[in-house]
Amino acid sequence: VRAEIVAVGTELLLGQIADTNARWMSEQLAAAGIDVTNHQAVGDNLDRIVEALRLAAARADVVLVSGGLGPTEDDITRDAIAAFAGVPLVFHAELETMLREKFRRWSAIGAMPESNLRQAYVPEGARWIVPDRGTAPGLALRLDGIRLYAVPGVPDEMQEMIGGTIVPELRELAGGDVITSRILRCAGMGESAVAERLADLFTSSTNPTIAYLASMGEVKVRITAKAPSAAEAEALAEPVVAEVRARLGDVVFSADDESLEQAVLRLLGSTKRTLACAESLTGGGVGERLTAVPGASASFVGSSVVYTAEAKRRVLGVPDDVLAAGTVTQACALAMAIGARDLYGADVALSLTGAAGPEPHDGAAPGTIWVAIADTSGFTHARGFVSRGERDRVRRWAQQAGLDLVRRHLEGAPLPETSLPG
Amino acid sequence: VRAEIVAVGTELLLGQIADTNARWMSEQLAAAGIDVTNHQAVGDNLDRIVEALRLAAARADVVLVSGGLGPTEDDITRDAIAAFAGVPLVFHAELETMLREKFRRWSAIGAMPESNLRQAYVPEGARWIVPDRGTAPGLALRLDGIRLYAVPGVPDEMQEMIGGTIVPELRELAGGDVITSRILRCAGMGESAVAERLADLFTSSTNPTIAYLASMGEVKVRITAKAPSAAEAEALAEPVVAEVRARLGDVVFSADDESLEQAVLRLLGSTKRTLACAESLTGGGVGERLTAVPGASASFVGSSVVYTAEAKRRVLGVPDDVLAAGTVTQACALAMAIGARDLYGADVALSLTGAAGPEPHDGAAPGTIWVAIADTSGFTHARGFVSRGERDRVRRWAQQAGLDLVRRHLEGAPLPETSLPG
């Protein structure tokens, strides 16, 4: 089964938003064993939408359209589908009732503008998918051997229909084979070094297949198996997962596609320890990531964002002589970690300080980073290194290095040493 | 001049990454007066890339291809362009010299693998664009009245070539007209309410045009004018900008496309005040946003992330009786703001507490948020409200509401009141 995704919206062509819907839909379809061969994006223009639908229908079995189902005049996906199929739009009183009911229930959004009645029209012969989160019904149509679905462009409304209705229908259509992906996530080793260690597996293994994806401070190794049942696919994948883990060792922080912050919280929970942070260059980004995980408060107590030297002294008690020698130093990182551990009464503390750039900071070149940990046994460890790249990248690298230091400490794995000269 | 963007990469079709390059390129092209009519994405498959290029060349004047210029075997954009143009690939010794020189200079990336020599091949008749940040040369080709450009898929390498070479060439091609966009950013008013206040302008104004884009807790109003020179375009836009500002009043926090955190830092700078935060449900996200702005340390001193009740007591001195009555309350938000102000010695402090969900927290329903400010004059103000949506959305709404409270306080604008029942 081959699928194609068509995104509708002038805002995409103007670059006001990225097409994150296509990414999400593609990921879901791949997991369901559906090949996605093309993405298209077109503006709110009837002729161009029809042209895109014709092209997609000519080369795919399933066409998924997102966007253009809203209540305003520039929402014309309904009209384009009707034009493409050569059928009229038909008004459905049931949909009007549903719309009026939603507006009545969500009194905060006010009375229903009459323009919303556009959403009660459906191309003749099409089914609709009842919306839960939004007001726009999805559409489903079979035509000349292809299946065409249209969903709203609002991400959570799209996800509800793709995940709840469309993927289950397509999974059935794809029949037999199930695709299972296992994702091993790695920190502290570059993509080419990971690939080198797995080169022969990469070449020789066809089911499962191995793929790499590198992002800042992290490499994902994806092992994808295809089999008639999920259990058989998992059984195919398992020995390769085990072999990859054995070869990469403590570089792998998760075999279940956990983020680094999820892995840290899992390890804190299983070792019954609490974590506090002291953040300078990351400005709160480490706390933000940890608290994005529901239930983080079981292990993460807080973070002192101390952006100025004075704040480091006042909040964390970093001594004046340490501050005078520079805030982007091993001594300052260690004093910050110890200060946060004691201020919060945490079992382990992580500190991050550095020069995010673009200017040098307190005598340190842009990209210079120090991360340190301290625990209640009196153990401390600091690591200094230089990150290439611009401000965002430096801050992200610091987060990754800091979280990975905590992860390794909790796992009892070797801790990386300082690579700064001198 | 009409342009089309073709993204190459199987990782896009598998949903491993979103096509953020197409967004960035589209934004740059729109600003240069080039209409982008279509986006396509295809995998690393020679026939499909050639098919995509043919389609794009048939309907656009300019085709921009991103991705597939790397050194590995699945990087086949060079081959696809040669096949599309019906020309051979030609080896250029100058490119080999450049590649070897880059590897010598960046000793950290090791010796040059011979596979990198793929990057020294260029379709016959094409120019290359010398890379600064990466190793992959860009390509430029004129063919049958169209211009085709290929750039690497790595975002900063793509941006360097699009911004430095390609957009300037296309701007010249587009000739005469310059497009200027002014973006007014608004907080504290929904998209439909903004649109209602501007309805007649929206309908009557054709140059400049008015467009809206809503995101969480924010509405952008974009005013776009087209004229033979930048000065004339700006002169056309200016009266509409002034009229929109007059109608929306203190809802507009920036007329220069500043983010809310940039506006807050600007106002802190111009009033010579410092800011500290106390973050519970946002976990450091407000500090992270403020410190993403270079130079933030001139006004932002830090943030106490206090994720547990004990941390609120220990770090910020929130009294036991306040904590006993609940941490998602007006009293707790006020005590947190006062605590952060005094701990950091800041002129103004912002606090944020709430139940991010999915579970109720400390007796408060998911989505309940309190934000508060306190300054050194003894002034305090708290606002409680309920945000719809899931954890990420609730946390983002809290950030927006908190930053906007500080912004309004610094501007002397009216402060929003509590909308919580009881």
Side-chain angles (χ1 to χ4, degrees):
Chain A
V1 179
R2 291 163 54 147
E4 176 153 351
I5 296 173
V6 178
V8 175
T10 301
E11 65 277 19
L12 294 163
L13 302 179
L14 290 172
Q16 294 176 341
I17 57 170
D19 189 2
T20 54
N21 284 349
R23 191 206 69 72
W24 194 90
M25 290 161 74
S26 297
E27 194 175 40
Q28 301 295 311
L29 292 166
I34 315 280
D35 289 326
V36 176
T37 54
N38 292 78
H39 293 173
Q40 299 185 64
V42 288
D44 303 312
N45 172 303
L46 193 79
D47 293 338
R48 296 221 182 99
I49 303 173
V50 172
E51 177 192 305
L53 296 178
R54 288 213 177 103
L55 176 64
R59 59 191 180 187
D61 309 302
V62 176
V63 179
L64 294 163
V65 187
S66 70
L69 295 181
T72 67
E73 276 180 47
D74 57 1
D75 290 307
I76 54 173
T77 294
R78 278 175 295 267
D79 311 75
I81 291 174
F84 162 68
V87 297
L89 285 170
V90 180
F91 178 80
H92 289 270
E94 300 151 78
L95 286 175
E96 177 179 357
T97 306
M98 177 208 76
L99 289 165
R100 293 203 183 277
E101 171 60 19
K102 278 184 181 278
F103 273 85
R104 199 189 51 72
R105 197 148 34 92
W106 299 339
S107 55
I109 60 177
M112 188 179 96
E114 288 308 297
S115 64
N116 265 78
L117 284 180
R118 295 168 65 84
Q119 296 182 319
Y121 285 83
V122 170
E124 192 177 84
R127 285 187 297 137
W128 64 83
I129 303 170
V130 177
D132 178 27
R133 294 178 183 155
T135 61
L139 302 173
L141 187 65
R142 291 194 193 200
L143 199 76
D144 301 334
I146 68 132
R147 293 183 186 217
L148 187 153
Y149 293 95
V151 296
V154 179
D156 58 359
E157 300 178 26
M158 175 278 292
Q159 291 177 10
E160 161 192 316
M161 293 183 191
I162 296 283
T165 302
I166 298 169
V167 163
E169 291 186 13
L170 295 181
R171 202 191 297 270
E172 203 170 308
L173 183 69
D177 278 0
V178 172
I179 291 185
T180 300
S181 275
R182 288 288 300 277
I183 294 181
L184 305 189
R185 292 172 73 161
C186 311
M189 186 182 276
E191 184 184 13
S192 54
V194 168
E196 207 169 82
R197 292 212 191 176
L198 307 178
D200 58 309
L201 284 178
F202 180 82
T203 313
S204 65
S205 184
T206 53
N207 187 19
T209 57
I210 298 181
Y212 309 110
L213 186 69
S215 58
M216 250 176 269
E218 202 179 309
V219 178
K220 288 185 192 179
V221 180
R222 182 188 290 240
I223 292 147
T224 305
K226 206 167 182 170
S229 75
E232 287 165 277
E234 275 155 34
L236 276 172
E238 194 46 47
V240 178
V241 169
E243 178 65 23
V244 170
R245 290 195 76 159
R247 293 192 188 189
L248 297 178
D250 57 39
V251 158
V252 177
F253 65 79
S254 174
D256 298 303
D257 199 16
E258 287 173 312
S259 63
L260 195 46
E261 54 272 27
Q262 286 173 322
V264 164
L265 289 167
R266 166 174 52 76
L267 290 164
L268 287 166
S270 65
T271 59
K272 299 206 190 319
R273 281 186 274 189
T274 57
L275 175 71
C277 301
E279 302 188 54
S280 183
L281 87 159
T282 50
V286 173
E288 208 281 333
R289 281 175 65 178
L290 287 163
T291 59
V293 182
S297 62
S299 313
F300 174 69
V301 292
S303 179
S304 282
V305 180
V306 283
Y307 210 58
T308 58
E310 173 62 11
K312 292 176 181 67
R313 189 185 62 73
R314 224 178 146 117
V315 177
L316 295 177
V318 178
D320 285 331
D321 59 328
V322 169
L323 294 173
T327 53
V328 185
T329 59
Q330 179 172 32
C332 188
L334 287 170
M336 286 169 61
I338 292 165
R341 179 195 66 192
D342 297 345
L343 175 63
Y344 285 94
D347 299 320
V348 186
L350 164 69
S351 68
L352 311 97
T353 183
E359 301 299 321
H361 179 65
D362 213 4
T368 310
I369 294 168
W370 278 96
V371 293
I373 49 175
D375 75 12
T376 40
S377 76
F379 175 84
T380 61
H381 182 89
R383 176 189 174 207
F385 65 103
V386 175
S387 159
R388 286 208 307 167
E390 289 170 12
R391 188 174 175 87
D392 284 354
R393 194 180 277 226
V394 170
R395 284 158 44 98
R396 178 81 186 177
W397 266 105
Q399 290 180 10
Q400 291 295 107
L403 287 168
D404 199 45
L405 196 60
V406 176
R407 192 267 301 182
R408 287 173 170 272
H409 177 61
L410 295 171
E411 285 186 337
L415 301 180
E417 297 298 327
T418 291
S419 62
L420 286 178
Chain B
V1 178
R2 290 163 55 147
E4 176 153 353
I5 296 173
V6 178
V8 175
T10 301
E11 65 277 19
L12 294 164
L13 302 180
L14 289 172
Q16 295 177 340
I17 57 170
D19 189 2
T20 53
N21 283 349
R23 192 207 68 73
W24 194 88
M25 288 161 74
S26 297
E27 194 176 39
Q28 301 295 310
L29 292 165
I34 314 280
D35 289 326
V36 176
T37 55
N38 293 79
H39 293 173
Q40 298 185 64
V42 287
D44 302 313
N45 172 304
L46 192 80
D47 293 340
R48 295 221 183 101
I49 303 172
V50 172
E51 178 192 307
L53 295 179
R54 288 213 178 102
L55 177 64
R59 59 191 181 188
D61 309 303
V62 176
V63 179
L64 294 162
V65 187
S66 69
L69 295 181
T72 66
E73 277 181 44
D74 59 358
D75 290 308
I76 55 175
T77 294
R78 279 175 295 266
D79 311 74
I81 291 174
F84 162 68
V87 297
L89 285 171
V90 180
F91 178 79
H92 288 269
E94 301 151 78
L95 286 176
E96 178 180 357
T97 307
M98 176 207 77
L99 289 165
R100 294 205 182 275
E101 170 60 20
K102 277 184 181 279
F103 273 85
R104 201 189 51 71
R105 194 147 36 90
W106 299 339
S107 55
I109 60 177
M112 188 179 95
E114 288 307 297
S115 66
N116 263 80
L117 284 181
R118 294 169 66 85
Q119 297 181 321
Y121 285 83
V122 170
E124 192 177 83
R127 285 187 297 135
W128 63 83
I129 303 170
V130 176
D132 179 27
R133 293 178 185 158
T135 62
L139 303 173
L141 187 64
R142 292 196 192 198
L143 199 76
D144 301 334
I146 68 131
R147 294 183 186 218
L148 188 153
Y149 294 96
V151 295
V154 179
D156 57 0
E157 301 178 26
M158 174 278 291
Q159 290 177 12
E160 160 193 315
M161 293 184 192
I162 296 282
T165 304
I166 298 171
V167 163
E169 291 185 15
L170 296 181
R171 202 191 299 270
E172 203 171 306
L173 182 70
D177 278 359
V178 172
I179 292 185
T180 301
S181 274
R182 287 287 301 276
I183 294 182
L184 305 189
R185 291 173 72 161
C186 311
M189 185 182 277
E191 183 183 12
S192 55
V194 168
E196 205 169 85
R197 293 211 192 174
L198 306 179
D200 59 308
L201 284 179
F202 180 83
T203 314
S204 65
S205 184
T206 53
N207 187 16
T209 57
I210 298 180
Y212 308 110
L213 185 70
S215 58
M216 252 177 270
E218 203 179 307
V219 178
K220 288 185 191 178
V221 180
R222 181 189 290 242
I223 293 146
T224 305
K226 206 168 184 170
S229 73
E232 288 164 279
E234 274 154 34
L236 276 171
E238 194 45 47
V240 179
V241 170
E243 178 66 22
V244 170
R245 291 195 75 156
R247 292 192 188 187
L248 297 178
D250 57 40
V251 158
V252 177
F253 64 78
S254 174
D256 297 303
D257 198 16
E258 285 173 313
S259 63
L260 195 45
E261 54 272 27
Q262 285 173 322
V264 165
L265 289 167
R266 167 176 51 78
L267 291 163
L268 287 167
S270 65
T271 59
K272 300 203 191 318
R273 280 185 275 189
T274 57
L275 174 69
C277 301
E279 303 188 53
S280 184
L281 86 160
T282 50
V286 173
E288 208 282 333
R289 282 175 64 177
L290 288 163
T291 59
V293 182
S297 62
S299 311
F300 173 69
V301 293
S303 178
S304 282
V305 180
V306 283
Y307 209 56
T308 59
E310 173 62 12
K312 292 176 181 67
R313 188 186 63 74
R314 226 177 143 115
V315 177
L316 295 177
V318 178
D320 285 330
D321 59 326
V322 169
L323 294 174
T327 53
V328 185
T329 59
Q330 179 171 35
C332 188
L334 287 169
M336 286 169 62
I338 292 165
R341 179 195 68 193
D342 297 345
L343 175 64
Y344 285 93
D347 298 321
V348 186
L350 164 68
S351 68
L352 311 97
T353 183
E359 301 299 322
H361 180 65
D362 214 2
T368 310
I369 294 167
W370 278 96
V371 293
I373 49 174
D375 74 12
T376 40
S377 76
F379 175 83
T380 61
H381 183 88
R383 177 189 174 206
F385 65 103
V386 175
S387 159
R388 284 208 307 165
E390 291 170 13
R391 187 173 176 89
D392 284 355
R393 194 179 279 224
V394 171
R395 282 158 46 99
R396 178 81 187 178
W397 266 105
Q399 290 181 9
Q400 291 295 106
L403 287 167
D404 199 45
L405 196 60
V406 177
R407 191 268 302 183
R408 287 173 170 273
H409 177 62
L410 294 171
E411 283 185 338
L415 301 181
E417 297 299 328
T418 292
S419 61
L420 286 178

